[in-house]
Every structure is written in C-alpha cells, then in structure tokens.
Amino acid sequence: MNGNNLVNGKSFVLKGRQSRRKLSKTESFWLSAIRSWCFNQALSDQVENGMWSRLCDGDIAQFQRKDEQFRAKDLSALIYLSVMRGEISPVLPLISEGWEAGTGTQREKAIKDSLADNWDLAEALLGFDLSRDSRLARLVPMNMAWELLKETEGNTQLIVEFSLPKGCFATSILREMIDFTDKSIEKHHENIDRE
C-alpha cells in the first residue's frame, strides 16, 4: 500500500534468495510486485514510442481471443491486418531465467533499455527460479456494450459491460476509457464549506 510493496519488494529482491525454503506469502507477493513493475516499466515505454501495438520480426504474438502464441517470423500483410484490428498482439516476457527467448531481438533491446536504470533489480529476479511467463502488450475488451440511462433530477447513469481474459483487471480498462470525477469529494467539500 502507498508504494510500500515496491519499496519492500525491491529491498527483498536485491538481497537475493537467502535460502531454499519456501517463500512466505508476503515475500511471494513482493516478488510478484517487482516482476510486474519491471513489465509495466517496459510496457509504459513501448506505449510511449508506439512499439506496444506493432509486431517486430521474431516477436512472440498472441491471439486476443485465445491463449495460443506463435513466433512472428513471416510478417505478412494478413498478420499486419490482424494486428491493426486488435486480433493479434505482441507479448512481453516477464523477467525470469531465459526471458530473452520469449521475444524478438528488437523488443529484447527495448526491454533492456527500459530497465537499464534498474538492471540490478532485473538481474536479481533471475536468482528466484521464476517460471517463464508473458503478458499481452495490449488488451482488447470483448463483448463490449454500453447504455446511458437518464434518471430524474438530471442524473445520468452509464452502464458498461465487457469481458476480459483471466488475470486482467476491469479497473485498468475503465481508467483508459473514462475520465472520472469523484462527486463524493465535491459533496464533502460543500458540506465543510457550509459548516
């Protein structure tokens, strides 16, 4: 909470694996937080430079609607069209021993560049015998539907429905789709001003 998981996680990971005992729940959580942080750093940079939404030669790609992955060797016009439509996306490997094999050389370099200032942290993760895994670089909600309901007294309500693959968070999608204004804060300040 309040960034403490990252602070504690960095400290824990940089110390390295101290014994072969099973990690505690908290230690496993810290390890996962640091691994996710590394992924998010790399993805953030790729979103900024546009690399997240295109395939590079040798990348591992995945279909949005199923878990099937493949190495992109022949970047045909059909593959490019599927990427543009959001049907296929590149995946980014999570840091583990041999993670470089989970992507192409161009994306490997981009990930290393993103983590350059924290490379000691990425290298320390290798000592934890983590399983090789990857995540989609972009997430396309499926079965999207929405309805705007007008209520009395000028209030409106937006109902949004969509489905996501396992392990994905609806809050991430909503954050990108909607500009939220917390009206409860405004009401709280109004009540304080009246007192």
Side-chain angles (χ1 to χ4, degrees):
M1 212 154 213
N2 297 328
N4 289 338
N5 288 328
L6 284 178
V7 171
N8 293 332
K10 284 181 181 182
S11 174
F12 170 71
V13 169
L14 288 172
K15 284 180 193 169
R17 186 92 191 232
Q18 300 297 307
S19 70
R20 301 313 297 166
R21 70 170 172 75
K22 185 177 178 185
L23 297 178
S24 72
K25 222 177 190 180
T26 301
E27 291 169 335
S28 293
F29 187 78
W30 289 339
L31 194 58
S32 179
I34 295 304
R35 204 175 184 200
S36 293
W37 180 84
C38 289
F39 173 88
N40 291 338
Q41 289 296 114
L43 180 58
S44 178
D45 287 348
Q46 291 185 32
V47 167
E48 194 171 307
N49 67 28
M51 192 176 191
W52 71 293
S53 64
R54 68 176 192 267
L55 277 182
C56 302
D57 188 44
D59 276 349
I60 302 295
Q62 181 175 325
F63 293 94
Q64 287 287 342
R65 296 187 182 267
K66 51 187 171 180
D67 291 338
E68 183 182 333
Q69 293 184 350
F70 63 95
R71 187 165 299 272
K73 292 179 183 173
D74 177 23
L75 298 178
S76 66
L78 185 58
I79 294 286
Y80 277 117
L81 183 60
S82 295
V83 170
M84 286 177 57
R85 288 180 175 163
E87 299 164 351
I88 296 174
S89 293
V91 299
L92 273 64
L94 296 174
I95 299 296
S96 63
E97 191 67 46
W99 69 268
E100 300 91 342
T103 192
T105 54
Q106 205 175 345
R107 201 167 303 272
E108 175 189 343
K109 182 185 179 322
I111 292 169
K112 286 179 176 176
D113 288 348
S114 294
L115 299 177
D117 291 341
N118 293 284
W119 194 246
D120 55 340
L121 189 60
E123 283 190 323
L125 280 172
L126 303 179
F128 284 88
D129 300 323
L130 299 163
S131 60
R132 285 195 34 203
D133 202 359
S134 60
R135 294 182 185 163
L136 283 164
R138 60 184 180 164
L139 182 60
V140 179
M142 295 171 284
N143 308 315
M144 174 85 63
W146 63 275
E147 184 176 0
L148 192 60
L149 302 176
K150 292 191 177 188
E151 297 180 358
T152 56
E153 300 175 22
N155 293 325
T156 56
Q157 184 178 10
L158 175 64
I159 297 175
V160 180
E161 283 183 32
F162 53 87
S163 56
L164 297 172
K166 181 181 175 185
C168 300
F169 298 98
T171 51
S172 298
I173 298 296
L174 293 172
R175 183 187 67 226
E176 297 302 319
M177 289 175 26
I178 300 170
D179 183 15
F180 287 101
T181 302
D182 188 347
K183 294 293 186 180
S184 65
I185 292 172
E186 291 176 14
K187 287 182 181 180
H188 175 73
H189 289 303
E190 285 175 15
N191 290 339
I192 290 173
D193 292 343
R194 286 184 191 144
E195 291 177 355

